[in-house]
Amino acid sequence: MQVIKFDCIESTHLYLAEALRNETLRAPVMVVAERQSGGIGSRGNSWENVSSGLYFSFALPLEMLPEDLPLESLSIYMGYLIKEVLKQHKSHVWLKWPNDLYVGQKKIGGIISTKLTSCILVGIGINLKVRDSKFGSLDVEIPKDTILSDFMALLKKAKKNFTWKLIFSKYALEFGNNFGCDFHYGGRIITLRDAKLCEDGAILLNGEKIYSLR
């Protein structure tokens, strides 16, 4: 995978999306930044301004993904892979539905996913150190390059070794972590207390099926 690094960029996700559309870059490719001046999160929010963070976006051709992966749940799938990387280094991080990384009750990062014509685009941001304790940060010290290299190693094996069926079975066991949380949907804040996880990664809530892909 080609890796392009910047000291500072507005947004790795926006940069890579534009480059893919202009065909100046092709999947598989990853863009990494030491800092972002306007990183984009879910609902158009900016990721918190932190003293140290890991910000990267990557694109993969569709044929590199597991055949059973529902693209509507791409953020769950990629979020679980990065969570597994961090847990290998003794972090207590967990994945909140639909696309947030948490340590305890504080958000430390997020995943945003987009499907383009022939590839998928995923952006991940992780707070490594924060200035204000009201924000969360990773609970262990891991070099940025280690996180990236470990994650890329998983991506290479994803199609064969990390099917959606396998990832879902593991995530389903941990889904109870969500029951004390809420999320934004349709301009409302909705509790996950009574949510039921479906096999395709959606949740069933008050008779409505809701997917993580926005």
Side-chain angles (χ1 to χ4, degrees):
M1 179 185 295
Q2 180 183 9
V3 180
I4 302 168
K5 294 186 176 183
F6 292 92
D7 289 332
C8 184
I9 193 173
E10 179 184 1
S11 162
T12 60
H13 201 76
L14 295 178
Y15 175 89
L16 186 51
E18 184 66 18
L20 292 168
R21 292 189 181 100
N22 293 338
E23 298 186 349
T24 54
L25 291 175
R26 295 181 181 274
V29 60
M30 177 180 287
V31 176
V32 184
E34 284 293 317
R35 300 184 309 280
Q36 290 189 131
S37 59
I40 301 300
S42 60
R43 304 183 313 280
N45 292 337
S46 295
W47 279 317
E48 292 87 356
N49 181 24
V50 298
S51 55
S52 177
L54 175 61
Y55 315 104
F56 65 101
S57 296
F58 61 93
L60 295 178
L62 295 176
E63 56 265 26
M64 285 186 65
L65 300 174
E67 294 179 358
D68 66 340
L69 174 61
L71 292 181
E72 297 88 350
S73 294
L74 183 60
S75 290
I76 295 173
Y77 179 83
M78 292 300 176
Y80 201 88
L81 289 187
I82 191 67
K83 180 193 80 81
E84 289 294 275
V85 167
L86 300 176
K87 288 194 71 173
Q88 289 172 8
H89 295 274
K90 310 303 182 183
S91 172
H92 293 92
V93 64
W94 61 279
L95 179 63
K96 174 183 171 290
W97 196 94
N99 60 348
D100 292 326
L101 297 168
Y102 269 64
V103 169
Q105 297 303 309
K106 291 185 178 180
K107 179 180 175 179
I108 70 158
I111 302 97
I112 184 169
S113 302
T114 307
K115 181 185 179 298
L116 302 180
T117 303
S118 59
C119 68
I120 55 98
L121 173 59
V122 180
I124 297 179
I126 303 172
N127 300 343
L128 301 181
K129 294 182 181 179
V130 294
R131 300 185 183 93
D132 191 328
S133 60
K134 71 180 180 180
F135 298 127
S137 62
L138 191 62
D139 52 343
V140 292
E141 290 192 14
I142 314 171
K144 295 180 183 181
D145 286 344
T146 298
I147 297 174
L148 291 173
S149 62
D150 288 356
F151 183 66
M152 284 190 287
L154 285 191
L155 288 180
K156 288 180 181 179
K157 299 183 292 184
K159 184 178 180 69
K160 181 178 179 181
N161 294 350
F162 298 100
T163 62
W164 168 251
K165 182 179 180 179
L166 174 63
I167 294 299
F168 175 80
S169 66
K170 292 184 176 183
Y171 184 59
L173 293 175
E174 305 172 7
F175 187 71
N177 292 330
N178 288 273
F179 292 156
C181 303
D182 51 35
F183 74 107
H184 292 262
Y185 178 71
R188 299 170 291 159
I189 298 178
I190 299 177
T191 179
L192 287 162
R193 182 179 59 249
D194 299 318
K196 294 183 179 179
L197 184 65
C198 304
E199 291 186 357
D200 59 359
I203 58 170
L204 191 63
L205 194 60
N206 299 324
E208 182 179 3
K209 197 171 185 180
I210 304 171
Y211 288 91
S212 64
L213 184 66
R214 291 182 170 88

